Structure formats: C-alpha cells, structure tokens
Amino acid sequence: MGDTDVTTDPNAPWLIVGLGNPGPEYAMNRHNVGFMVADLLAERIGGSFKRAGKAQAQVIEGRIGPPGPANRRVILAKPMSYMNLSGGPVNALRDFYKVPLAHVVAIHDELDIDYGVLRLKLGGGDNGHNGLKSMTKAMGPDYHRVRFGIGRPPGRMQVADFVLKDFASAERKELGYFVDRASDAVECLVIDGLERAQGTYNS
C-alpha cells in the first residue's frame, strides 16, 4: 500500500471505474448508475469498451482535458464480475496500468444522499456498498469516490430490492441531466483536483 500518498506523480494514469452489474436486466437499475456515467464518459472520449485481457472488465484508454499540462491519460473501466466482486478486476487493472491508488476513482450509487445529489471524497468507509467493500478489501480505502445519490427506499422496501430496481419514471426525467453532471464532476476531479471538484459539484 505504499502508493496511497495523494502527492503521487501527477502524470501517472487515472483509473476511472463505474460500478454496476453486467447484463441487460440490470442496465437501468439504481445500482448501475456507475455504469451509466462510465458509458457517457466513453462517449466523450470517443471510444468503445473492449474486454481487458485477463481482467474481468471492459475498458477504454483515452485522454481527457485540454491540450497541455492539464491533459490526463485515463483508463475507463466497467468490472464484469458483478458488484460484490468488483475489487479483483479493479486491482488487476490498477496493477497492469501501474495506477497509484490515489488515481483510482469509483463512481457509485449512494443510499444516504438524496436523488441526483453528488458528493466527492477521498477514502472513507464503504457504508454497506458491496462494490466499495470489495474494492477496499482488494486495495485499501484510499481511492476517490464520486457518490451519486439515489435516496433511501420508500416505506418498508428492503435496500437490496430498492437498488436492484430501475429508476422510477419521475426520476428518469432528470436522470440524463444528473448523469451528465456526474460525468462533468469526474472530469473536474481528474483535471483540477479534488478540492476544486468538491467546491463545484458537492451540492
């Protein structure tokens, strides 16, 4: 874990991970909002996801940011292992691309934040999120998180049922805007740093 220092080489690549479950039946689930943001970032980069060798993930390599010193090399990834096993594929990609832990970004759904609200942070607990739990077990906790609020389940609905349901029709009306804003937040984090991104997008 010797590479957790946030003062790491600014020219090192970034590994941006959208968390979700593979398969069309999960595509619009609340739990898959990380995949949705990763897909939009892929469109912006102008690439298509490809299987990543032996790692159980799909990846795109590209660059974001303006030409010059703010331009960043990024590896955009979607683990294909199911949410609760995300750590293995992410750590394999981190090793292969030689990404410092402080340059790993996980994009994920967050129950304890209202729908559409973003919170960016470095490190911390997993708050019961199985994708984060798996990543932290594999690598330690000192990676960035872009937390996309989905709110709490209504009434007595179980959390597991809630996160594996599609966004409600009323939520879907704004989903595109919120996914776009989360993608902007990821780009700001990578190009301008956590403090700037928090000041702009932590609403």
Side-chain angles (χ1 to χ4, degrees):
M1 301 294 178
D3 58 357
T4 60
D5 186 354
V6 294
T7 62
T8 189
D9 176 9
N11 296 315
W14 286 76
L15 176 59
I16 301 169
V17 181
L19 293 179
N21 287 308
E25 67 272 33
Y26 299 106
M28 290 303 296
N29 286 183
R30 293 182 178 91
H31 222 20
N32 267 45
V33 73
F35 273 18
M36 297 174 199
V37 176
D39 285 338
L40 181 55
L41 287 167
E43 285 182 33
R44 294 182 179 186
I45 288 172
S48 55
F49 282 101
K50 296 180 175 62
R51 199 76 178 189
K54 294 180 180 179
Q56 205 173 356
Q58 293 183 347
V59 301
I60 296 173
E61 295 181 60
R63 304 192 79 88
I64 62 173
N71 193 258
R72 302 283 184 255
R73 180 184 172 216
V74 299
I75 298 94
L76 190 59
K78 296 192 296 185
M80 293 286 114
S81 56
Y82 290 98
M83 181 71 83
N84 62 346
L85 298 173
S86 299
V90 174
N91 204 31
L93 291 172
R94 190 172 80 90
D95 286 345
F96 180 78
Y97 288 104
K98 297 180 172 52
V99 178
L101 187 55
H103 277 202
V104 176
V105 182
I107 310 161
H108 65 92
D109 57 305
E110 178 61 63
L111 285 160
D112 287 336
I113 301 174
D114 290 341
Y115 173 61
V117 173
L118 296 177
R119 292 282 188 275
L120 286 75
K121 70 173 186 173
L122 175 65
D126 57 58
N127 203 23
H129 192 287
N130 286 332
L132 297 182
K133 192 177 296 183
S134 179
M135 285 182 61
T136 296
K137 184 177 179 182
M139 306 185 302
D142 297 320
Y143 53 90
H144 288 88
R145 298 101 188 277
V146 175
R147 305 157 72 204
F148 187 112
I150 60 169
R152 301 294 303 186
R156 297 185 178 183
M157 184 186 289
Q158 294 295 310
V159 165
D161 294 332
F162 179 69
V163 299
L164 292 176
K165 284 191 181 301
D166 289 359
F167 283 100
S169 57
E171 293 171 327
R172 286 199 295 271
K173 291 176 182 175
E174 295 184 292
L175 182 58
Y177 167 77
F178 289 138
V179 168
D180 190 67
R181 190 166 184 270
S183 301
D184 291 344
V186 173
E187 291 186 349
C188 183
L189 168 62
V190 171
I191 296 165
D192 297 320
L194 179 61
E195 189 174 342
R196 174 72 66 85
Q198 286 176 324
T200 304
Y201 292 99
N202 276 17
S203 41

